[in-house]
């Protein structure tokens, strides 16, 4: 994904009309942001920073928040983690106005959208191995491969023959077209779907619907108008915008902020135990002290002084989050 140099073929302007007036967020309508945690572990400093940024960007605009628990992958999701995440959000003062919504139980909506794509002749079976391994989780930076279209032009006979040996995953045919959007923090972006992404999985071989499909349907259903998340998900945004266009859904505004990394430059993960929420609560004692440290480390405030969430939303210099310089957290 590169910053735009020339106007994109099809540029979706953040905050602009979606082309679907029934569901569009009219100018002046309230901002609705969202928390979209995956309940696959306890929060760490990186997840928490993402939630704080989403809350602040929405509240700065007088907006509201949706909480959606992204438990699309039943093997990795645990109800106990969802409960713990909600308690930790509450401790931080990260309030939500709508939800919690869940992804389990949404299969019918996902299926209906998938069948529309299928009826439009946009989906084909793919027998490549490991193709859909991660399709139910958000593909974080570095996990995205360009699919070369291997199975796109198999004949019906070849498909039948292969289907006897292996359940296929299902890919969406993407056009050789640029999708562009204005990121609220990173500026204009564009990606050629065919060259930089390739046909992507919308349904796994086990029948589960893929993250990319679920997330656009959920954002639309829940009235989300502003998606604020880590920059590792920026390469997924053109896929999501493309799906929104195909399905006649509104395009939210997008804001991608830099990630928190550890001293070795590696993205924080649930394995970095010293950044786990329990450690952080123990070390900082109050949400204000923890917020102050996050704000100082990321540069959105000039120092690490303890600060209340509402004050951070009002006073933070979010322009400091433009660019991909990660915040070292240690
Ligand atoms: N559930 C995803 C995650 O925790 C976030 C997906 C998104 O923000 O679209 O990484």
């Amino acid at each position: 994904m590169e910053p735009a140099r020339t106007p994109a073929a099809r540029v979706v302007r953040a905050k602009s009309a979606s082309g679907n007036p029934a569901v569009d967020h009219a100018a002046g309508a309230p901002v609705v942001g969202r928390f979209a945690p995956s309940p696959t572990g306890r929060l760490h400093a990186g997840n928490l920073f993402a939630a704080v940024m989403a809350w602040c960007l929405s509240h700065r605009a007088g907006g509201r928040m949706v909480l959606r628990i992204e438990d699309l992958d039943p093997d990795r999701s645990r109800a106990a983690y969802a409960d713990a995440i909600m308690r930790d959000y509450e401790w931080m003062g990260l309030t939500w106005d709508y939800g919690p919504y869940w992804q389990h139980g949404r299969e019918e909506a996902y299926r209906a959208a998938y069948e529309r794509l299928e009826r439009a002749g946009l989906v084909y079976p793919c027998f490549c191995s490991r193709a859909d391994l991660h399709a139910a989780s958000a593909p974080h930076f570095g996990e995205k491969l360009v699919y070369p279209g291997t199975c796109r032009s198999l004949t019906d006979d070849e498909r039948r023959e292969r289907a006897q040996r292996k359940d296929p995953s299902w890919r969406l045919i993407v056009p050789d077209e640029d999708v562009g959007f204005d990121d609220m923090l990173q500026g204009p972006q564009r990606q050629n779907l065919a060259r930089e992404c390739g046909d992507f999985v919308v349904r796994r071989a086990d029948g589960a619907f893929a993250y990319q499909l679920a997330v656009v349907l959920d954002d639309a259903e829940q009235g989300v108008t502003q998606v604020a998340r880590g920059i590792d998900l920026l390469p997924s945004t053109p896929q999501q915008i493309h799906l929104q266009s195909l399905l006649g859904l509104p395009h939210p505004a997008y804001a991608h902020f830099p990630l928190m990394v550890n001293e070795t430059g590696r993205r924080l993960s649930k394995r970095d135990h010293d950044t786990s929420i329990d450690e952080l609560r123990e070390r900082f004692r109050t949400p204000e002290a923890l917020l102050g440290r996050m704000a100082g480390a990321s540069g959105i405030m000039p120092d690490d002084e303890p600060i209340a969430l509402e004050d951070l939303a009002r006073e933070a210099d979010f322009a400091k989050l433009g660019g991909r310089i990660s915040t070292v957290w240690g």
Side-chain angles (χ1 to χ4, degrees):
M1 184 108 194
E2 294 168 10
R5 276 182 286 276
T6 52
R10 183 155 55 83
V11 176
V12 179
R13 298 271 159 215
K15 298 196 198 111
S16 81
S18 69
N20 184 343
V23 284
D24 195 11
H25 47 103
V31 166
V32 179
R34 40 84 144 179
F35 301 118
S38 301
T40 55
R42 296 291 305 279
L43 295 175
H44 59 67
N47 306 139
L48 201 57
F49 181 64
V52 167
M53 288 300 98
W55 192 97
C56 285
L57 284 168
S58 171
H59 278 254
R60 169 107 140 192
R64 307 201 166 166
M65 287 301 286
V66 161
L67 171 61
R68 176 173 71 243
I69 307 288
E70 299 213 316
D71 59 345
L72 192 61
D73 189 342
D75 296 338
R76 296 178 60 222
S77 302
R78 301 274 178 278
Y81 287 135
D83 284 342
I85 289 168
M86 288 190 265
R87 298 295 82 77
D88 291 327
Y89 280 176
E90 280 165 2
W91 180 78
M92 285 295 281
L94 294 165
T95 50
W96 57 93
D97 307 279
Y98 310 107
Y101 301 112
W102 303 80
Q103 291 182 316
H104 73 258
R106 292 265 297 144
E107 287 76 16
E108 282 321 303
Y110 303 153
R111 183 185 315 280
Y114 172 81
E115 285 173 359
R116 275 180 68 187
L117 301 172
E118 207 175 32
R119 278 197 300 277
L122 290 172
V123 172
Y124 65 88
C126 171
F127 299 91
C128 296
S129 53
R130 298 170 72 88
D132 57 352
L133 207 57
H134 298 296
S137 17
H140 293 277
F141 188 72
E143 293 171 5
K144 186 166 165 168
L145 301 173
V146 179
Y147 181 67
T150 320
C151 292
R152 194 201 267 213
S153 47
L154 294 180
T155 63
D156 285 349
D157 280 348
E158 285 170 326
R159 285 177 181 162
R160 262 193 299 277
E161 190 261 315
R162 283 173 205 216
Q164 285 174 3
R165 279 179 282 127
K166 188 176 191 300
D167 288 332
S169 58
W170 300 85
R171 288 186 182 268
L172 182 79
I173 297 175
V174 298
D176 182 6
E177 215 170 86
D178 285 1
V179 172
F181 66 101
D182 283 343
D183 190 277
M184 289 167 64
L185 299 172
Q186 307 302 331
Q189 305 290 319
R190 64 188 298 183
Q191 186 187 92
N192 181 283
L193 287 175
R195 281 202 309 276
E196 295 174 70
C197 171
D199 299 338
F200 58 89
V201 174
V202 284
R203 191 170 191 187
R204 305 196 307 184
D206 64 3
F209 296 98
Y211 157 76
Q212 304 291 3
L213 184 64
V215 83
V216 300
L217 293 166
D218 292 347
D219 282 339
E221 169 75 17
Q222 293 150 17
V224 169
T225 69
Q226 185 182 87
V227 173
R229 58 190 176 191
I231 205 158
D232 52 335
L233 287 169
L234 190 143
S236 285
T237 301
Q239 282 157 264
Q240 295 175 14
I241 290 173
H242 180 60
L243 278 171
Q244 289 153 3
S245 300
L246 289 176
L247 296 167
L249 303 173
H251 302 297
Y254 287 93
H256 291 91
F257 40 82
L259 299 182
M260 291 209 160
V261 296
N262 63 19
E263 289 91 344
T264 66
R266 200 166 45 81
R267 181 180 146 225
L268 297 185
S269 82
K270 289 169 181 155
R271 288 182 296 274
D272 291 301
H273 295 296
D274 51 336
T275 79
S276 75
I277 183 81
D278 287 335
E279 288 286 327
L280 296 174
R281 285 176 65 158
E282 173 98 15
R283 182 167 143 208
F284 289 92
R285 304 276 171 197
T286 67
E288 291 77 13
L290 175 53
L291 283 170
R293 172 77 185 109
M294 288 188 160
S298 61
I300 57 175
M301 292 297 286
D303 53 39
D304 287 8
E305 279 304 298
I307 187 164
L309 192 57
E310 295 74 20
D311 296 336
L312 184 63
R314 212 172 26 247
E315 293 170 29
D317 180 3
F318 293 108
K320 291 282 196 312
L321 297 175
R324 289 155 198 229
I325 309 295
S326 308
T327 298
V328 178
W329 179 263

